Amino acid sequence: MTANRQILIHSLPEEKLSEANYRMTETAAPEPGAGQVLCRTLAIAITAGTRAGLQGSASYAGAPKTGIVMNGATVSRVANSRHDAFREGDLVLCSGGWQDYSVHEAGQLTRVEPGVDPAHYLGALGTNGLTAYFGMLEVGQPRSGETVLVSAAAGSVGHLAGQIARIQGCRVVGVAGADDKCRALVSELRFDEAVNYRSPGYRTEFKAACPKGVDVYFDNTGGDILGTALRGMNVGGRIACCGVVSQYDTSHPEPGPRGVPGLLINKRVRMQGFLVFDFLPRYDAARRQLRAWMDSGDLIAWQDEYQGLQRAPAAFVDLLAGGNRGTRVVRVAD
Ligand SMILES: NC(=O)c1ccc[n+]([C@@H]2O[C@H](COP(=O)([O-])OP(=O)(O)OC[C@H]3O[C@@H](n4cnc5c(N)ncnc54)[C@H](OP(=O)(O)O)[C@@H]3O)[C@@H](O)[C@H]2O)c1
């Protein structure tokens, strides 16, 4: 019998998420049925949006439940295949969750192409890279010379979204929660400016960083950062509402910012939410473009790693507190 360690949702967080909301158990690895594939987890993506799932605010994820394996995208190795399209040893992207083994219908697997660290399929070439790509290009619609603002800019989606805007010839300003993150956005990823929202002088520093106002705001956070951005928007600006991470790690999310819709009306601003799944038929083409930008050095994919399945809860709690830079990945096996 092959053992399958699993991390279950033990309880739903009442305020901030804690490691005690999870527990580890062990069971037998599942057997694949006809047309199915057994996958061995190699690495798991730790992403902010799954906290919204635990809060019940991600309607597409359904109601939060306890006693189930914590969800998460994984890069996995095929351990046993009962479908002709996959062979033992193939690398795939799947929704494996926080466990050693998972079974999937073959049609639910994405093949990991060679020549790149497979873990990038959890970041730049995975859901977060696609979110940055479609959210920025299709919803934000940046034009060369415009000023683009990105929040949670040192996080997984944010650091990619900002670079995609820079590749379009825009002036890019990042917002992040630590001075060292802001410095790295400018020095390593070639953002034009980056501002720390925790600084007491944030509003003044934000205005100084955007002297010509903001044309596109890629909003990962909602909350006060959105409130300040709304007041800095130019006529005809676009706000791409990607996520609300400032309001996930609580049972008492704040209402949206004041001034909506008046500020939108006066500046003729378009504020639009999106889900990356809306663009599913175009994923392959987007992945090819993201990969080409990575290969040419235009797009740098930051990765931030924890080792060991048992560390996944700690990695998630720390991500919500801003401990990550780029895509956080938990390595489970070689
Ligand atoms: N629409 C879609 O289809 C879609 C798909 C994927 C992800 N998303 C959204 O994209 C956003 C980023 O997700 P991710 O997985 O890439 O996470 P991430 O940005 O890698 O990690 C979360 C980051 O949020 C920041 N943060 C935490 N609390 C905050 C607060 N109170 N105010 C401001 N910033 C705070 C932290 O950085 P600091 O140090 O800067 O505080 C932290 O590093 C999330 O809102 C997520 O829901 C949307």
Short mmCIF file of all heavy atoms in Angstrom, two decimals, residues 60 131 134-136 138-141 217-220 222 226 237-244 248 260 264 269-279:
data_model
loop_
_atom_site.label_atom_id
_atom_site.label_comp_id
_atom_site.label_asym_id
_atom_site.label_seq_id
_atom_site.Cartn_x
_atom_site.Cartn_y
_atom_site.Cartn_z
N TYR A 60 -17.62 31.17 -6.93
CA TYR A 60 -17.31 30.09 -7.87
C TYR A 60 -16.77 28.84 -7.15
O TYR A 60 -16.79 27.74 -7.69
CB TYR A 60 -16.29 30.57 -8.92
CG TYR A 60 -15.01 31.11 -8.32
CD1 TYR A 60 -13.97 30.27 -8.00
CD2 TYR A 60 -14.87 32.47 -8.04
CE1 TYR A 60 -12.81 30.76 -7.41
CE2 TYR A 60 -13.72 32.97 -7.46
CZ TYR A 60 -12.69 32.11 -7.15
OH TYR A 60 -11.56 32.60 -6.56
N THR A 131 -3.75 35.00 -15.11
CA THR A 131 -4.57 36.06 -14.51
C THR A 131 -3.93 37.43 -14.78
O THR A 131 -4.62 38.39 -15.16
CB THR A 131 -4.68 35.82 -12.99
OG1 THR A 131 -5.29 34.56 -12.77
CG2 THR A 131 -5.48 36.91 -12.30
N PHE A 134 -4.31 38.13 -18.81
CA PHE A 134 -5.62 38.52 -19.33
C PHE A 134 -6.18 39.73 -18.57
O PHE A 134 -6.81 40.61 -19.16
CB PHE A 134 -6.60 37.35 -19.25
CG PHE A 134 -6.28 36.26 -20.25
CD1 PHE A 134 -5.83 35.02 -19.83
CD2 PHE A 134 -6.40 36.50 -21.61
CE1 PHE A 134 -5.52 34.03 -20.76
CE2 PHE A 134 -6.09 35.52 -22.55
CZ PHE A 134 -5.64 34.28 -22.12
N GLY A 135 -5.92 39.77 -17.26
CA GLY A 135 -6.43 40.91 -16.49
C GLY A 135 -5.80 42.21 -16.95
O GLY A 135 -6.49 43.24 -17.10
N MET A 136 -4.50 42.18 -17.20
CA MET A 136 -3.84 43.40 -17.63
C MET A 136 -4.22 43.74 -19.09
O MET A 136 -4.67 44.85 -19.39
CB MET A 136 -2.32 43.26 -17.48
CG MET A 136 -1.53 44.50 -17.87
SD MET A 136 -2.05 45.98 -16.94
CE MET A 136 -1.25 45.68 -15.36
N GLU A 138 -6.50 42.37 -21.37
CA GLU A 138 -7.89 42.38 -21.85
C GLU A 138 -8.78 43.31 -21.03
O GLU A 138 -9.69 43.92 -21.58
CB GLU A 138 -8.47 40.96 -21.80
CG GLU A 138 -7.75 39.99 -22.70
CD GLU A 138 -7.94 40.29 -24.18
OE1 GLU A 138 -8.99 40.82 -24.55
OE2 GLU A 138 -7.00 40.00 -24.96
N VAL A 139 -8.54 43.39 -19.73
CA VAL A 139 -9.41 44.22 -18.89
C VAL A 139 -8.79 45.61 -18.71
O VAL A 139 -9.46 46.62 -18.89
CB VAL A 139 -9.67 43.53 -17.53
CG1 VAL A 139 -10.69 44.34 -16.72
CG2 VAL A 139 -10.18 42.11 -17.73
N GLY A 140 -7.50 45.65 -18.38
CA GLY A 140 -6.85 46.96 -18.19
C GLY A 140 -6.60 47.70 -19.50
O GLY A 140 -6.64 48.91 -19.56
N GLN A 141 -6.30 46.95 -20.55
CA GLN A 141 -6.03 47.50 -21.89
C GLN A 141 -5.05 48.69 -21.86
O GLN A 141 -5.38 49.80 -22.27
CB GLN A 141 -7.35 47.92 -22.54
CG GLN A 141 -8.27 46.73 -22.75
CD GLN A 141 -9.55 47.06 -23.49
OE1 GLN A 141 -9.87 48.22 -23.72
NE2 GLN A 141 -10.27 46.03 -23.88
N TYR A 217 -5.49 50.85 -13.29
CA TYR A 217 -5.17 50.32 -11.96
C TYR A 217 -5.54 48.84 -11.94
O TYR A 217 -6.70 48.48 -12.11
CB TYR A 217 -5.93 51.08 -10.86
CG TYR A 217 -5.78 50.44 -9.49
CD1 TYR A 217 -4.55 49.94 -9.08
CD2 TYR A 217 -6.86 50.32 -8.63
CE1 TYR A 217 -4.40 49.32 -7.83
CE2 TYR A 217 -6.73 49.72 -7.39
CZ TYR A 217 -5.50 49.21 -7.01
OH TYR A 217 -5.36 48.59 -5.80
N PHE A 218 -4.53 47.97 -11.71
CA PHE A 218 -4.73 46.52 -11.58
C PHE A 218 -4.85 46.24 -10.09
O PHE A 218 -3.88 46.27 -9.36
CB PHE A 218 -3.54 45.78 -12.20
CG PHE A 218 -3.74 44.30 -12.35
CD1 PHE A 218 -4.03 43.75 -13.59
CD2 PHE A 218 -3.65 43.45 -11.26
CE1 PHE A 218 -4.22 42.38 -13.75
CE2 PHE A 218 -3.84 42.08 -11.40
CZ PHE A 218 -4.12 41.55 -12.64
N ASP A 219 -6.10 45.99 -9.65
CA ASP A 219 -6.39 45.96 -8.21
C ASP A 219 -6.42 44.53 -7.67
O ASP A 219 -7.35 43.79 -7.92
CB ASP A 219 -7.73 46.65 -7.95
CG ASP A 219 -8.04 46.74 -6.47
OD1 ASP A 219 -7.08 46.72 -5.66
OD2 ASP A 219 -9.23 46.81 -6.10
N ASN A 220 -5.40 44.20 -6.87
CA ASN A 220 -5.35 42.90 -6.21
C ASN A 220 -5.85 42.96 -4.77
O ASN A 220 -5.99 41.93 -4.13
CB ASN A 220 -3.90 42.38 -6.17
CG ASN A 220 -3.47 41.83 -7.51
OD1 ASN A 220 -4.20 41.08 -8.14
ND2 ASN A 220 -2.27 42.21 -7.93
N GLY A 222 -8.24 45.70 -3.16
CA GLY A 222 -9.41 46.43 -2.65
C GLY A 222 -8.98 47.31 -1.48
O GLY A 222 -7.82 47.73 -1.38
N LEU A 226 -7.36 50.71 -2.90
CA LEU A 226 -8.31 51.00 -3.98
C LEU A 226 -8.90 52.40 -3.78
O LEU A 226 -9.01 53.17 -4.74
CB LEU A 226 -9.43 49.95 -4.00
CG LEU A 226 -10.62 50.25 -4.92
CD1 LEU A 226 -10.20 50.39 -6.38
CD2 LEU A 226 -11.69 49.15 -4.78
N GLY A 237 -9.92 56.27 -17.47
CA GLY A 237 -9.09 55.22 -16.88
C GLY A 237 -9.84 53.90 -16.76
O GLY A 237 -11.07 53.84 -16.88
N ARG A 238 -9.07 52.83 -16.53
CA ARG A 238 -9.65 51.50 -16.37
C ARG A 238 -9.15 50.89 -15.06
O ARG A 238 -7.94 50.97 -14.77
CB ARG A 238 -9.23 50.56 -17.52
CG ARG A 238 -9.88 50.84 -18.85
CD ARG A 238 -9.22 51.97 -19.61
NE ARG A 238 -7.91 51.63 -20.13
CZ ARG A 238 -7.01 52.53 -20.50
NH1 ARG A 238 -7.24 53.83 -20.40
NH2 ARG A 238 -5.84 52.14 -20.97
N ILE A 239 -10.06 50.29 -14.31
CA ILE A 239 -9.67 49.56 -13.10
C ILE A 239 -10.01 48.09 -13.33
O ILE A 239 -11.17 47.73 -13.54
CB ILE A 239 -10.39 50.09 -11.85
CG1 ILE A 239 -10.06 51.57 -11.64
CG2 ILE A 239 -10.00 49.27 -10.62
CD1 ILE A 239 -10.77 52.23 -10.46
N ALA A 240 -8.98 47.23 -13.31
CA ALA A 240 -9.19 45.79 -13.46
C ALA A 240 -9.28 45.20 -12.05
O ALA A 240 -8.28 45.15 -11.33
CB ALA A 240 -8.03 45.17 -14.24
N CYS A 241 -10.47 44.79 -11.64
CA CYS A 241 -10.67 44.25 -10.29
C CYS A 241 -10.33 42.76 -10.32
O CYS A 241 -11.11 41.94 -10.80
CB CYS A 241 -12.12 44.44 -9.85
SG CYS A 241 -12.58 46.17 -9.71
N CYS A 242 -9.15 42.45 -9.79
CA CYS A 242 -8.64 41.07 -9.84
C CYS A 242 -8.93 40.34 -8.54
O CYS A 242 -9.32 39.18 -8.54
CB CYS A 242 -7.14 41.11 -10.11
SG CYS A 242 -6.37 39.49 -10.11
N GLY A 243 -8.74 41.02 -7.40
CA GLY A 243 -8.95 40.36 -6.11
C GLY A 243 -9.01 41.38 -5.00
O GLY A 243 -8.81 42.58 -5.21
N VAL A 244 -9.30 40.88 -3.79
CA VAL A 244 -9.56 41.77 -2.64
C VAL A 244 -8.77 41.26 -1.44
O VAL A 244 -9.33 41.07 -0.36
CB VAL A 244 -11.07 41.80 -2.31
CG1 VAL A 244 -11.41 43.01 -1.47
CG2 VAL A 244 -11.93 41.79 -3.56
N TYR A 248 -9.58 39.39 2.84
CA TYR A 248 -9.80 37.94 2.89
C TYR A 248 -9.60 37.35 4.28
O TYR A 248 -10.33 36.45 4.68
CB TYR A 248 -8.82 37.21 1.94
CG TYR A 248 -9.04 37.40 0.46
CD1 TYR A 248 -8.02 37.08 -0.44
CD2 TYR A 248 -10.25 37.86 -0.04
CE1 TYR A 248 -8.20 37.22 -1.80
CE2 TYR A 248 -10.43 38.02 -1.41
CZ TYR A 248 -9.40 37.70 -2.29
OH TYR A 248 -9.56 37.85 -3.64
N VAL A 260 -17.83 55.69 -4.81
CA VAL A 260 -18.31 54.94 -5.98
C VAL A 260 -19.83 55.00 -5.95
O VAL A 260 -20.43 54.73 -4.91
CB VAL A 260 -17.83 53.47 -5.92
CG1 VAL A 260 -18.45 52.64 -7.04
CG2 VAL A 260 -16.31 53.42 -5.99
N LEU A 264 -16.33 57.40 -10.50
CA LEU A 264 -16.30 56.73 -11.82
C LEU A 264 -17.00 57.60 -12.86
O LEU A 264 -16.56 57.72 -14.01
CB LEU A 264 -16.98 55.37 -11.75
CG LEU A 264 -16.46 54.38 -10.70
CD1 LEU A 264 -17.24 53.07 -10.78
CD2 LEU A 264 -14.98 54.10 -10.90
N VAL A 269 -14.53 56.50 -15.65
CA VAL A 269 -13.64 55.35 -15.41
C VAL A 269 -14.43 54.06 -15.56
O VAL A 269 -15.56 53.96 -15.08
CB VAL A 269 -13.03 55.45 -13.99
CG1 VAL A 269 -12.36 54.14 -13.59
CG2 VAL A 269 -12.03 56.60 -13.93
N ARG A 270 -13.83 53.07 -16.23
CA ARG A 270 -14.46 51.73 -16.30
C ARG A 270 -13.83 50.85 -15.23
O ARG A 270 -12.61 50.67 -15.21
CB ARG A 270 -14.23 51.12 -17.68
CG ARG A 270 -14.65 49.65 -17.75
CD ARG A 270 -14.73 49.13 -19.18
NE ARG A 270 -13.50 49.26 -19.92
CZ ARG A 270 -12.45 48.43 -19.80
NH1 ARG A 270 -12.49 47.45 -18.92
NH2 ARG A 270 -11.37 48.60 -20.53
N MET A 271 -14.66 50.30 -14.35
CA MET A 271 -14.18 49.42 -13.28
C MET A 271 -14.77 48.05 -13.56
O MET A 271 -16.00 47.90 -13.58
CB MET A 271 -14.70 49.97 -11.95
CG MET A 271 -14.12 49.38 -10.73
SD MET A 271 -14.69 50.34 -9.30
CE MET A 271 -13.80 49.53 -8.01
N GLN A 272 -13.92 47.07 -13.82
CA GLN A 272 -14.45 45.77 -14.29
C GLN A 272 -13.80 44.61 -13.56
O GLN A 272 -12.57 44.50 -13.52
CB GLN A 272 -14.19 45.64 -15.80
CG GLN A 272 -14.77 44.37 -16.39
CD GLN A 272 -14.43 44.21 -17.86
OE1 GLN A 272 -14.16 45.20 -18.56
NE2 GLN A 272 -14.42 42.98 -18.32
N GLY A 273 -14.63 43.73 -13.00
CA GLY A 273 -14.12 42.50 -12.41
C GLY A 273 -13.93 41.45 -13.48
O GLY A 273 -14.52 41.52 -14.55
N PHE A 274 -13.08 40.47 -13.17
CA PHE A 274 -12.90 39.36 -14.12
C PHE A 274 -12.46 38.13 -13.36
O PHE A 274 -11.92 38.21 -12.25
CB PHE A 274 -11.86 39.71 -15.20
CG PHE A 274 -10.44 39.75 -14.66
CD1 PHE A 274 -9.61 38.63 -14.78
CD2 PHE A 274 -9.96 40.86 -14.01
CE1 PHE A 274 -8.32 38.64 -14.26
CE2 PHE A 274 -8.67 40.88 -13.48
CZ PHE A 274 -7.85 39.78 -13.61
N LEU A 275 -12.70 36.97 -13.94
CA LEU A 275 -12.15 35.70 -13.46
C LEU A 275 -11.34 35.10 -14.59
O LEU A 275 -11.78 35.10 -15.75
CB LEU A 275 -13.27 34.74 -13.04
CG LEU A 275 -13.95 35.07 -11.72
CD1 LEU A 275 -15.14 34.15 -11.49
CD2 LEU A 275 -12.98 34.96 -10.54
N VAL A 276 -10.18 34.60 -14.25
CA VAL A 276 -9.28 34.09 -15.29
C VAL A 276 -9.95 32.97 -16.10
O VAL A 276 -9.69 32.82 -17.31
CB VAL A 276 -7.94 33.63 -14.66
CG1 VAL A 276 -8.12 32.44 -13.74
CG2 VAL A 276 -6.91 33.34 -15.73
N PHE A 277 -10.84 32.21 -15.46
CA PHE A 277 -11.50 31.08 -16.16
C PHE A 277 -12.28 31.57 -17.40
O PHE A 277 -12.51 30.79 -18.32
CB PHE A 277 -12.48 30.36 -15.23
CG PHE A 277 -11.97 30.21 -13.82
CD1 PHE A 277 -12.65 30.76 -12.74
CD2 PHE A 277 -10.77 29.54 -13.57
CE1 PHE A 277 -12.17 30.64 -11.45
CE2 PHE A 277 -10.28 29.42 -12.28
CZ PHE A 277 -10.97 29.97 -11.21
N ASP A 278 -12.66 32.84 -17.41
CA ASP A 278 -13.39 33.38 -18.56
C ASP A 278 -12.57 33.23 -19.85
O ASP A 278 -13.12 33.27 -20.95
CB ASP A 278 -13.69 34.88 -18.38
CG ASP A 278 -14.52 35.16 -17.14
OD1 ASP A 278 -15.18 34.22 -16.66
OD2 ASP A 278 -14.51 36.31 -16.67
N PHE A 279 -11.25 33.12 -19.70
CA PHE A 279 -10.36 33.13 -20.87
C PHE A 279 -9.81 31.74 -21.20
O PHE A 279 -8.86 31.61 -21.98
CB PHE A 279 -9.20 34.12 -20.63
CG PHE A 279 -9.68 35.53 -20.38
CD1 PHE A 279 -9.87 36.01 -19.10
CD2 PHE A 279 -9.97 36.37 -21.45
CE1 PHE A 279 -10.33 37.30 -18.87
CE2 PHE A 279 -10.43 37.66 -21.24
CZ PHE A 279 -10.62 38.13 -19.94
#
